Amino acid sequence: MTARKLRIWYLVHKWTSLVSTVFLLLLCLTGLPLIFHEEIEHYFEPHPELRALTADSPQIDYDKVVAGVLATWPDEVVRFVGFDPDSPLGVVFTATSLTPPPIEGHSQPFDTRTGELFPPAQPDDGFMNLMLRLHTDLFMGLPGYLFLGFMGLLLVASLVSGVVVYTPFMRKLDFATVRTGRSARLKWLDLHNVLGMVTLTWVLVVGVTGVINTLALPIFGLWQSDQLADMTAPYKDAPPLERLGSLHKALEAARQAAPDMEPSFVAFPGTQFSSQNHYAVFMRGTTPLTARLLKPALVDAVTGELTDIREMPLYVKTLLISQPLHFGDYGGLPLKIIWTLLDVISIVVLGSGLYLWIRRRNRPMPKHLVELNANRSSVEGRA
């Protein structure tokens, strides 16, 4: 590699890192509590206590559940019904409008075995919601998603260019060498390089999956205009619904169509994940991997008959798999601990990179980036 090309790679690494560092530090810091969001939410907002089943326990009727929720909130409409994959607990989500974003609404938990209703959940406006919004869109909606996605692309460019710049430098030192006997700046340079190489694969995976996650809104928008539109095409000229049919019957139809799967959530007619004439029952698998993948089953909201069920397209499956991989929440507590340690190391890498730039901003480019041996591409580092 010529000195000119190496200089270009150095400048790419320098400026992609500098532009994105502050936002990447924000993402790492807000990501720490999000790794343990389930444990934190369960501690501060414990799930309702489910009663043990007896011979006299009633069987659930989802229509009665919905009717009970609407009786409590008569000025609202049901948008979604969700199911907890780890417990027999469901949630009915209501709002003042079917179309997003809802101005007001409630989350009503219920027992999926008996239909017992529990007190409504508190509005999600606390610490964890603050961390989530900062981590995902900076409270800016789609522009915030896309901006952070661009920061993720800069991170990937920084990682690739960092490997190119650091590889020749490694020829002068044994791997993982940290020269502690000289200047503090040199020690941090070695530490920055070593920790960066150790966490390279993890940061690359988290960065790429993070970029994919920022495209969630466009991806689901594409699915709605593509597959969902095709699935609901026969109902294009159907008259508006005057009343909703049985949700219980719709769930039974979806379960019969996918007997090896369980419902993940139901989108009511008129919401963004359904049509004006269907219950959209999103089924999930029962293994750790397939539990993240969804299969939409459309059920006629009047007759309760299944009209279509299809696999999600590849671009949606990619998104669904990348979401748990990004936060490490598919392998239990041990994987979350590993994710946390790697996150902390990444914070050290980012912080040390910022420190090195501040200390070196008025110095010329390192000699090892411009001196090349005439016989082979090698560089010599200097203190």
Side-chain angles (χ1 to χ4, degrees), residues 301-317:
V302 175
T303 65
E305 296 179 356
L306 182 77
T307 63
D308 204 343
I309 181 169
R310 301 186 188 182
E311 295 282 348
M312 281 289 198
L314 180 60
Y315 58 87
V316 178
K317 287 183 177 180

Side-chain angles (χ1 to χ4, degrees), residues 13 162 165-166 169-170 173 175-179 186-200 349 352 356 368:
H13 180 68
V165 171
Y166 183 55
F169 180 69
M170 289 177 60
L173 297 171
F175 180 73
T177 297
V178 178
R179 292 167 288 182
L186 186 61
K187 179 183 69 176
W188 279 105
L189 173 62
D190 290 343
L191 193 62
H192 175 83
N193 291 335
V194 169
L195 294 180
M197 295 301 292
V198 168
T199 60
L200 174 66
V349 173
S352 60
L356 291 170
H368 77 270

Side-chain angles (χ1 to χ4, degrees), residues 21-35 135 155 202-203 206 342-348 350:
T21 290
V22 173
F23 296 100
L24 294 175
L25 276 172
L26 173 67
L27 293 177
C28 287
L29 290 171
T30 56
L32 280 174
L34 292 176
I35 294 174
H135 192 85
L155 169 64
W202 179 82
V203 175
V206 172
L342 292 170
D343 193 345
V344 172
I345 295 175
S346 298
I347 292 174
V348 175
L350 292 169

Side-chain angles (χ1 to χ4, degrees), residues 1-117:
M1 182 182 295
T2 64
R4 184 173 180 274
K5 289 183 178 179
L6 192 58
R7 176 184 174 85
I8 292 174
W9 279 110
Y10 170 79
L11 292 175
V12 170
H13 180 68
K14 174 183 176 180
W15 289 109
T16 54
S17 300
L18 287 176
V19 171
S20 61
T21 290
V22 173
F23 296 100
L24 294 175
L25 276 172
L26 173 67
L27 293 177
C28 287
L29 290 171
T30 56
L32 280 174
L34 292 176
I35 294 174
F36 298 98
H37 71 97
E38 292 179 346
E39 289 78 6
I40 293 173
E41 291 170 353
H42 277 251
Y43 181 81
F44 289 101
E45 298 179 9
H47 278 192
E49 184 176 350
L50 299 175
R51 301 178 183 178
L53 293 179
T54 66
D56 298 329
S57 297
Q59 294 293 317
I60 186 170
D61 184 328
Y62 286 97
D63 298 321
K64 291 182 178 180
V65 171
V66 170
V69 172
L70 293 179
T72 305
W73 315 107
D75 296 328
E76 298 180 8
V77 291
V78 176
R79 299 181 72 236
F80 303 103
V81 175
F83 300 87
D84 190 332
D86 300 319
S87 70
L89 188 70
V91 182
V92 177
F93 297 93
T94 65
T96 55
S97 172
L98 284 174
T99 56
I103 299 175
E104 295 179 356
H106 295 89
S107 302
Q108 184 83 54
F110 67 95
D111 190 329
T112 59
R113 304 166 303 171
T114 64
E116 178 186 3
L117 296 177

Side-chain angles (χ1 to χ4, degrees), residues 164-233:
V164 174
V165 171
Y166 183 55
T167 298
F169 180 69
M170 289 177 60
R171 294 173 182 158
K172 303 297 295 182
L173 297 171
D174 293 332
F175 180 73
T177 297
V178 178
R179 292 167 288 182
T180 58
R182 303 176 69 175
S183 66
R185 188 194 143 276
L186 186 61
K187 179 183 69 176
W188 279 105
L189 173 62
D190 290 343
L191 193 62
H192 175 83
N193 291 335
V194 169
L195 294 180
M197 295 301 292
V198 168
T199 60
L200 174 66
T201 301
W202 179 82
V203 175
L204 188 61
V205 169
V206 172
V208 171
T209 55
V211 171
I212 295 173
N213 289 340
T214 63
L215 300 176
L217 294 179
I219 286 174
F220 278 118
L222 177 60
W223 173 77
Q224 291 162 5
S225 62
D226 178 21
Q227 188 182 79
L228 181 60
D230 184 58
M231 295 173 72
T232 60

